Amino acid sequence: MNQTTNQALHGNQTQHSNQTANAQTNSQVNHDIIKAATPTEQKFYDFYLEEHQNMACRRLHFAGSSFGLLGLAKSVKARSPKPLLKGIVAGYACAWVGHFFFEKNKPASFKFPLKSFASDFRMYSDVLRGNLSLKDRKFDKSR
């Protein structure tokens, strides 16, 4: 190989390596942006989890969120708001039973309805991903 060909090949390899490194960096940055919660959101979620330490309460929240999602799916399929409304009512009924009878505290949704709603689905997602347990808090990974 002559020197010009060798330099061209080496230049292409270096360019490819730089592009790969940039793609990995961009991917990591995008992943971190999606994954990261603002300090205020994380602080509220930490508070939210403190209010959901009882396993029966967590299970009832999980069931309630599932009812809400099923209601949403049925509502879309039937093109009617009625199943969604039933799902929401069932979801909040489960959650409030969990708070009043098991956790023995007042639901955060009374003071912070939107943050609580978002945190409930974050908790639901954490349970599905295995970061929070419905068996025992000692198995929680997200804290």
Side-chain angles (χ1 to χ4, degrees), residues 115-128:
K115 285 182 179 181
S116 295
F117 186 76
S119 292
D120 189 56
F121 280 98
R122 183 172 173 189
M123 184 171 73
Y124 188 83
S125 171
D126 280 344
V127 168
L128 289 176

Side-chain angles (χ1 to χ4, degrees), residues 27-135:
S27 174
Q28 183 62 37
V29 169
N30 290 340
H31 178 61
D32 290 344
I33 289 170
I34 292 169
K35 186 178 174 183
T38 64
T40 306
E41 289 170 351
Q42 185 60 45
K43 186 176 177 182
F44 185 82
Y45 187 59
D46 290 340
F47 159 75
Y48 189 82
L49 290 178
E50 288 295 320
E51 298 291 306
H52 297 84
Q53 293 187 28
N54 181 282
M55 290 300 111
C57 183
R58 280 192 190 181
R59 288 181 196 125
L60 284 164
H61 271 70
F62 190 84
S65 296
S66 296
F67 289 141
L69 290 172
L70 285 170
L72 175 63
K74 286 183 176 183
S75 190
V76 168
K77 185 177 179 183
R79 297 181 185 191
S80 167
K82 204 173 203 177
L84 176 61
L85 295 174
K86 288 180 181 180
I88 290 171
V89 169
Y92 276 105
C94 288
W96 291 350
V97 165
H99 282 287
F100 294 128
F101 294 103
F102 295 99
E103 197 73 59
K104 300 198 186 309
N105 63 13
K106 196 174 184 180
S109 61
F110 290 170
K111 287 187 179 179
F112 309 101
L114 295 178
K115 285 182 179 181
S116 295
F117 186 76
S119 292
D120 189 56
F121 280 98
R122 183 172 173 189
M123 184 171 73
Y124 188 83
S125 171
D126 280 344
V127 168
L128 289 176
R129 290 182 289 139
N131 292 331
L132 287 177
S133 175
L134 294 178
K135 293 182 181 183

